Amino acid sequence: MKYESTRGTAPLLGFEDVLLAGLARDGGLYVPQSWPTLSRDDIASLAGLSYAEQAIRVITPFIGAAIPRDDLAAMVHDAYATFVHPAVTPLQQLAPNIWLLELFHGPTLAFKDVAMQLLSRMMDYELQRRGQRATIIGATSGDTGAAAVEGFRGREATDLFILHPKGRVSEAQRRQMTTVLDGRVHNIAIEGTFDDCQTIVKALFNDLEFRDRMNLGGVNSINWARVMAQIVYYFTAAVALGSPSRAVSFAVPTGNFGDIYAGYAAKRMGLPVDRLMIATNVNDILARVLATGRYDLGDVMATMSPSMDIQISSNFERVLYEGHGRDGAKISDLMSDLATQGGFALSNAAHAAIHDDFDASRTDEAETLGEIKRTLSETGMLIDPHTAVGVAAARKVEPSATPVVCLSTAHPAKFNDAVTRACGRQAELPPHLSDLFEREERYDVLPNSLAAVQAHIVSKSPMA
Ligand SMILES: *Cc1c(COP(=O)(O)O)cnc(C)c1O
């Protein structure tokens, strides 16, 4: 299996290089050169297997010979043993035709654990095989940083540096990062905003001398291996509900489009997926794209579902690429229009092709609170505000016999402010995190300065 860039000029790479590269050298995103497919029999034979066994069957075609089968199997089993539910991603029924796919039973209670637990193991494996080390750097507004810290703790070949904006992440989110006392995990609180953190991280990557010397690597959601790991639960959910004999639709709380793009990939692999419903909060750029065929940047608004507060939805580039007939030069043009003019128009054919697979729905703050309340009173279940945006969207999928699966992307206890506002009740942290607020914390506070962060990384790194 080879991978090509959505902007058409970067070299083709194998899985092991895509895993470590993240972004392509031409600024594009890597996608498989062609989609591997599973036959109806292959899909039917997933029924009844453990999550890890299904994962191995779904992802093996993307990895090919890059990782020997036994080593891959060991990593997959190890990654999903960190989840506290035996089904890893269990389904719950919410309404006659709506199911919740709970993706929050991993170490940090959000769906990002599903990919990060496997990505961190595969990166470490590949680095050790090459006899290399890497410095992994990321900026976080909460969930990604926590998942990265849990993923990379205890790994041998990586040093992780996570920047968060001081005082601007919730206490639970900060503690999930800062109570991991591992010598290779470094939390940095920046005296600034999330955008300041992201600007510093981008500048570190653009300093090519530093980048090469430290062998910088990224773990944001454009990494192909993260997408790949997320394809698995579309299969497990659909098979549990009767695929391949029965088609299934999905509603997905969406920000950077990594999660729902994995659903698109599952469909291209042969899973009978009917509708893919993009669920957005008031940051509704993707709903506007589907309605108008134009991608126009607006201002980011802060909401109760902060992991979806986004205007540039990076992974959307991958479906734009498919929609425009895999024309990398065209995507390059659109992305430079985005940078210079703040927007671009999809071709009519691309707009139609994307609409063939996707619908979109926007849910405002009042509706989000209303959905948390309604779900509690109808089912007794507490849901987090991201999931609530997804459930509101799931209710808008055209009624049919096709079941709708809403991806539940975070545990409600992670977003108790919204849960309490909606229904006057708090969700409890699960037992493995119940002492989170008593644990010892460790982090460094740095000014909003590239030079200060760079000097700090050098002082802590064994590679400097
Ligand atoms: C990251 C995240 C999302 C958005 O996922 P994307 O892949 O960026 O679309 C939704 N909900 C939660 C809780 C998240 O952490």
Side-chain angles (χ1 to χ4, degrees):
M1 173 66 70
K2 288 280 182 198
Y3 292 81
E4 64 191 29
S5 162
T6 51
R7 305 212 186 155
T9 59
L12 296 180
L13 296 183
F15 177 80
E16 65 278 28
D17 291 317
V18 167
L19 170 68
L20 297 179
L23 206 64
R25 292 186 84 87
D26 58 6
L29 280 60
Y30 276 105
V31 296
Q33 252 194 324
S34 63
W35 290 105
T37 54
L38 298 189
S39 69
R40 278 181 71 90
D41 286 348
D42 292 337
I43 296 171
S45 71
L46 297 175
L49 297 182
S50 70
Y51 186 91
E53 287 299 327
Q54 295 190 58
I56 291 163
R57 294 199 189 185
V58 171
I59 68 178
T60 292
F62 293 106
I63 297 173
I67 302 176
R69 198 181 158 80
D70 288 351
D71 293 347
L72 178 66
M75 283 189 273
V76 170
H77 281 281
D78 201 40
Y80 296 114
T82 66
F83 282 60
V84 295
H85 196 291
V88 180
T89 62
L91 279 171
Q92 304 272 2
Q93 190 161 9
L94 196 80
N97 210 25
I98 300 179
W99 276 260
L100 275 187
L101 178 61
E102 294 183 347
L103 302 176
F104 54 71
H105 294 280
T108 72
L109 312 182
F111 90 96
K112 291 185 173 71
D113 288 326
V114 180
M116 206 69 86
Q117 285 296 325
L118 186 58
L119 175 73
S120 56
R121 283 170 174 79
M122 290 195 301
M123 280 183 141
D124 196 54
Y125 173 91
E126 180 61 19
L127 286 163
Q128 291 201 45
R129 194 186 66 79
R130 296 178 184 200
Q132 293 179 357
R133 298 190 65 78
T135 307
I136 311 291
I137 299 191
T140 187
S141 55
D143 291 343
T144 301
V149 165
E150 279 296 338
F152 283 92
R153 70 188 295 177
R155 304 273 93 83
E156 299 283 323
T158 49
D159 301 285
L160 178 71
F161 292 85
I162 292 290
L163 282 60
H164 72 264
K166 181 169 183 282
R168 293 175 200 249
V169 300
S170 76
E171 184 174 1
Q173 285 177 322
R174 185 190 74 236
R175 286 181 158 276
Q176 282 188 323
M177 298 189 275
T178 57
T179 59
V180 172
L181 308 178
D182 179 300
R184 296 195 187 93
V185 168
H186 306 277
N187 282 287
I188 301 173
I190 295 290
E191 290 172 324
T193 64
F194 170 64
D195 286 338
D196 294 330
C197 296
Q198 220 167 12
T199 303
I200 292 173
V201 168
K202 278 190 190 146
L204 291 170
F205 275 92
N206 286 334
D207 179 340
L208 297 181
E209 184 277 323
F210 183 76
R211 177 179 179 159
D212 291 342
R213 175 158 54 104
M214 308 301 288
N215 198 17
L216 290 195
V219 289
N220 57 16
S221 75
I222 56 98
N223 187 301
W224 165 259
R226 268 182 76 175
V227 171
M228 179 188 75
Q230 292 166 184
I231 298 172
V232 174
Y233 48 71
Y234 287 90
F235 276 89
T236 65
V239 166
L241 291 171
S243 286
S245 308
R246 184 153 75 142
V248 176
S249 292
F250 291 92
V252 186
T254 295
N256 232 340
F257 208 79
D259 202 2
I260 195 164
Y261 173 70
Y264 170 86
K267 185 171 186 178
R268 296 299 302 260
M269 291 177 75
L271 190 70
V273 174
D274 184 12
R275 306 307 299 162
L276 287 164
M277 176 66 107
I278 304 166
T280 76
N281 61 26
V282 292
N283 296 292
D284 62 349
I285 183 162
L286 293 171
R288 286 185 282 119
V289 174
L290 279 226
T292 65
R294 277 200 62 86
Y295 190 103
D296 287 310
L297 295 182
D299 292 328
V300 180
M301 283 175 278
T303 72
M304 286 176 288
S305 43
S307 298
M308 295 151 65
D309 292 347
I310 203 160
Q311 283 295 326
I312 297 188
S313 193
S314 312
N315 283 291
F316 192 63
E317 180 167 337
R318 288 183 157 122
V319 293
L320 284 172
Y321 182 63
E322 303 278 357
H324 289 90
R326 296 203 160 210
D327 179 350
K330 174 76 182 171
I331 299 304
S332 234
D333 288 347
L334 296 183
M335 292 301 144
S336 76
D337 288 350
L338 181 64
T340 56
Q341 294 155 36
F344 58 82
L346 280 65
S347 75
N348 290 339
H351 184 208
I354 291 172
H355 231 325
D356 271 349
D357 291 310
F358 294 95
D359 296 305
S361 143
R362 168 194 201 267
T363 300
D364 69 19
E365 297 288 275
E367 291 169 311
T368 304
L369 290 173
E371 193 55 70
I372 295 173
K373 198 171 168 183
R374 173 177 176 180
T375 300
L376 176 65
S377 73
E378 288 183 357
T379 69
M381 279 190 269
L382 286 173
I383 57 173
D384 99 286
H386 302 81
T387 303
V389 168
V391 173
R395 296 195 199 278
K396 292 181 203 156
V397 176
E398 276 191 25
S400 76
T402 307
V404 183
V405 175
C406 173
L407 274 53
S408 183
T409 50
H411 191 289
K414 235 182 151 166
F415 295 95
N416 256 331
D417 287 352
V419 171
T420 311
R421 256 178 78 194
C423 56
R425 256 179 68 178
Q426 291 241 335
E428 265 180 50
L429 284 168
H432 67 283
L433 281 168
S434 57
D435 66 341
L436 182 65
F437 289 87
E438 282 94 62
R439 291 182 194 168
E440 180 189 347
E441 286 190 87
R442 195 161 68 202
Y443 61 99
D444 295 298
V445 179
L446 292 180
N448 176 19
S449 145
L450 173 63
V453 173
Q454 209 155 12
H456 180 81
I457 292 173
V458 167
S459 77
K460 299 280 179 189
S461 169
M463 292 174 72

